[in-house]
Amino acid sequence: MALTREQLAQRVAQELQDGYYVNLGIGIPTLVANYIPKEIEVMLQSENGLLGMGQFPTEDEIDADLINAGKQTVTMATGASVFDSAESFAMIRGGHVDLTVLGAFEVDVNGNIASYMIPGKLIKGMGGAMDLVAGADNIIVTMTHASKHGVSKLLSNCTLPLTGKGCIKKVLTDLAYIEIKEGKFHLVERAPGVSVDEIIKLTEGELVIPNNVPEMKL
Amino acid sequence: MAGFDKVVSTYEEAMAGLEDGMTVISGGFGLCGIAENLINEIKRKGTKELTMVSNNCGVDDFGLGVLLQDRQIKKIVASYVGENAEFERQMMNGELEVELTPQGTLAEKMRAGGAGIPAFFTATGYGTPVADGKEEREIDGRMYILEHAIKGDFAIIKAWKADRYGNLVFRKTARNFNPMAATAGKITVVEVEEIVEPGELDPDQIHTPGIYVNRLILGTFEKRIEQRTVRTAQS
C-alpha cells in the first residue's frame, strides 16, 4: 500500500534528532510536526521570522500578528524568538538549519528539483523554496512517486522550471525512500506492501536496486 | 514638523509626493504586518503605473490586492503571489509584469538597498529561471549569481509602536520584511498602533532606529487573518 500523507510525515519524523532546528514546508512537511518523538527536542523554523513555532492556537489565543509561512495562525513554543526576514534567511542561506523538509513536482537523478511553477498553468512563486534548497545541506523532499495518471515524478531530467540545481539527496515518496548519488536514484526502503517492481515501473530515472530492500518501519 | 518629530496627522500628508511610475517597497508577509491604511491612501490617490516590491500582493479585496482593482500596479517584484484571482488574471493577460524573486533574495535586496550595497552574490536561484541574464561566478568551488539591490521612491511600513522620533518596535511575526523595507525607501512612511514620547521606548528594544523614518502616522487596523487555523481542546 502506498503511504498516506500521515505515514509520509511519520517516516520523515524518524529522521529528526534531538536538538535539531528544522524548517518544514507547506503541505505534507507541515504534518511532520505532529510526529516529533516525545523524548527529543526539536525547534521549528518558520521563514516569515519565527524560530520555535508552537501548535495552532485555541480560539482565545488567535493573534493576527503571529502566523507561519503558510499564513496560518500559530503560537510560539517555549524559548521561541522572532526576527525579520533578512535574519530568517541568514539562518537558512547560512546553513544553520539542520533539516529542511519540502514538497516538489519533480526530482531528477542529478538532484535537481522543480517545485514552484507549471508554465501556463500554475504560477504562484517560489516563496522561500529556492533559498531553502540552496542553503540547506540536509534536505528531504516529500512527494507522491507518480501522478494520478501514473506518470513518474522521479526523472532522468526535470521537465519543469527548476527550483534548485544539484541540491537534493533524499526523497521520500508514497512508495519508497530513495537517495540520490552519482547521477542515479538508489532505492533504500519501500513502503509496506509495495513491491520493488511497482517502484521500478513508476521511476523514470535510472534506479539502482540493492539485493535487499527493506520495508519501512512506521 | 519640528526637529526629529516625524508625526503627520493625515494620510494625505503621509503619502504626499507619490507620483505615477514610482517604485514603492512594502513591508508585510501575506496580510500580516502590512500598512493597510497607507495602501488604501494609494488607492484613493489613484496613482498609476506603480512598481510594487513586496513579498506578496495581498488578496482580492485587502492589502495590495486593492491596487489591482483599478490597475494601479504596472509591475510587482514578489516571491509568492498565489492568493489572488485578479492578480492571476492580469498576469496571464500580460497586463501585469511580475518578477518572481526568491524570498531570501528579496529580503537581502531590500537590506542591501538600504545599506549602500549595490549587489551581492548568492547561491539561491543558480541554475534556475531566476538566474537568466544574471552574472554568474564561482567562489570557493560553488556557483553564485549576482543580485542587485532594490531601492524605492517610497517605503510603506507597519510597526507596532513608535516614539515621535520614528524609533520603531514591531510585534511578533508582523516584523517580517518591514525593517529592511524601512531602510530602502527614499521616503519611508510608517503607520503604527501607538505613538509615545521620545524616551519612553527602551533604546535596547528598538528594532528600527528613527534615522530611517521620514513620516509617522497613527492608524487603526483591521488586521485581517488569511488562514484562521485553530486547535481543538484534545489536539
Side-chain angles (χ1 to χ4, degrees):
Chain A
M1 280 285 287
L3 298 183
T4 63
R5 289 163 58 85
E6 281 71 23
Q7 288 172 317
L8 276 163
Q10 276 179 47
R11 178 62 191 86
V12 172
Q14 293 171 12
E15 302 297 312
L16 299 173
Q17 292 182 23
D18 196 22
Y20 260 17
Y21 295 101
V22 179
N23 183 292
L24 301 176
I26 293 162
I28 293 167
T30 307
L31 299 174
V32 175
N34 299 334
Y35 298 99
I36 298 169
K38 292 232 166 6
E39 62 278 12
I40 68 169
E41 283 192 310
V42 164
M43 211 174 267
L44 301 178
Q45 204 259 14
S46 187
E47 65 257 28
N48 56 316
L50 170 60
L51 186 62
M53 181 166 60
Q55 49 190 343
F56 292 127
T58 61
E59 202 60 58
D60 292 342
E61 289 171 336
I62 286 181
D63 183 340
D65 288 340
L66 187 54
I67 63 168
N68 65 16
K71 286 126 188 160
Q72 297 171 306
T73 46
V74 289
T75 59
M76 290 192 270
T78 304
S81 55
V82 288
F83 34 82
D84 65 51
S85 301
E87 181 87 56
S88 182
F89 281 92
M91 292 174 195
I92 291 167
R93 294 153 71 116
H96 302 279
V97 175
D98 297 302
L99 174 66
T100 290
V101 186
L102 78 173
F105 300 141
E106 296 174 344
V107 167
D108 73 25
V109 293
N110 292 311
N112 298 326
I113 173 172
S115 67
Y116 84 101
M117 75 178 289
I118 300 173
K121 274 192 197 161
L122 179 80
I123 306 171
K124 290 184 183 297
M126 67 291 282
M130 283 193 182
D131 304 286
L132 284 160
V133 297
D137 193 39
N138 190 12
I139 304 168
I140 300 176
V141 170
T142 60
M143 60 196 291
T144 53
H145 207 98
S147 74
K148 278 178 291 205
H149 311 293
V151 179
S152 179
K153 297 178 179 180
L154 279 77
L155 306 172
S156 41
N157 279 299
C158 286
T159 63
L160 296 169
L162 295 185
T163 305
K165 194 174 165 69
C167 44
I168 304 302
K169 295 176 201 145
K170 299 175 188 171
V171 185
L172 179 69
T173 74
D174 53 343
L175 305 183
Y177 176 56
I178 284 172
E179 288 182 356
I180 302 173
K181 47 193 172 191
E182 291 146 5
K184 289 170 190 154
F185 293 125
H186 294 254
L187 183 57
V188 180
E189 294 173 14
R190 57 199 169 85
V194 172
S195 71
V196 170
D197 282 348
E198 278 175 82
I199 295 165
I200 292 171
K201 207 172 72 183
L202 291 171
T203 307
E204 189 265 325
E206 185 176 352
L207 180 65
V208 178
I209 319 275
N211 292 331
N212 175 34
V213 183
E215 276 193 357
M216 282 173 210
K217 292 193 174 56
L218 297 167
Chain B
M1 214 186 280
F4 297 109
D5 192 338
K6 310 287 172 71
V7 179
V8 297
S9 51
T10 67
Y11 279 95
E12 213 173 336
E13 263 179 282
M15 293 308 294
L18 180 70
E19 291 170 13
D20 291 357
M22 281 187 167
T23 295
V24 179
I25 302 185
S26 171
F29 183 95
L31 303 181
C32 183
I34 57 171
E36 304 176 11
N37 303 294
L38 296 175
I39 293 167
N40 289 339
E41 171 61 15
I42 297 172
K43 181 174 174 64
R44 192 200 61 79
K45 279 171 80 86
T47 316
K48 299 243 192 259
E49 300 281 304
L50 293 171
T51 294
M52 296 298 312
V53 182
S54 169
N55 189 55
N56 315 91
C57 197
V59 295
D60 279 325
D61 64 339
F62 196 70
L64 291 178
V66 304
L67 302 181
L68 294 169
Q69 293 160 1
D70 301 325
R71 305 269 310 274
Q72 290 176 266
I73 303 177
K74 178 187 68 176
K75 177 180 174 182
I76 176 138
V77 180
S79 86
Y80 191 82
V81 292
E83 320 289 352
N84 194 316
E86 177 61 17
F87 186 99
E88 210 161 320
R89 194 196 64 76
Q90 290 188 17
M91 180 170 64
M92 290 300 201
N93 290 347
E95 297 165 16
L96 178 65
E97 192 188 334
V98 180
E99 189 176 320
L100 287 177
T101 303
Q103 196 175 142
T105 296
L106 186 61
E108 197 65 15
K109 277 170 170 270
M110 291 184 196
R111 198 187 74 79
I117 297 165
F120 55 92
F121 281 103
T122 178
T124 299
Y126 171 72
T128 79
V130 166
D132 288 351
K134 288 173 187 162
E135 187 183 332
E136 298 180 352
R137 187 179 301 183
E138 188 181 330
I139 301 172
D140 294 336
R142 191 166 182 202
M143 291 304 295
Y144 297 87
I145 60 173
L146 186 67
E147 292 280 8
H148 286 261
I150 296 182
K151 286 189 199 175
D153 297 296
F154 274 75
I156 54 173
I157 305 302
K158 159 69 175 55
W160 178 40
K161 274 190 196 181
D163 66 21
R164 302 181 71 87
Y165 287 0
N167 292 309
L168 308 180
V169 178
F170 301 94
R171 185 171 176 275
K172 298 185 178 172
T173 57
R175 191 179 330 179
N176 56 60
F177 282 83
N178 279 297
M180 286 78 63
T183 66
K186 281 186 200 130
I187 298 177
T188 291
V189 188
V190 184
E191 58 173 340
V192 293
E193 295 173 46
E194 186 184 352
I195 298 177
V196 300
E197 291 305 315
E200 287 186 40
L201 297 176
D202 178 353
D204 272 333
Q205 305 299 327
I206 288 165
H207 297 131
T208 292
I211 191 168
Y212 299 111
V213 176
N214 299 96
R215 300 171 191 167
L216 181 68
I217 188 163
L218 183 66
T220 53
F221 300 87
E222 177 185 334
K223 291 197 187 179
R224 193 181 293 185
I225 292 173
E226 214 164 327
Q227 304 281 346
R228 176 178 288 267
T229 318
V230 293
R231 71 172 190 273
T232 48
Q234 78 272 17
S235 65

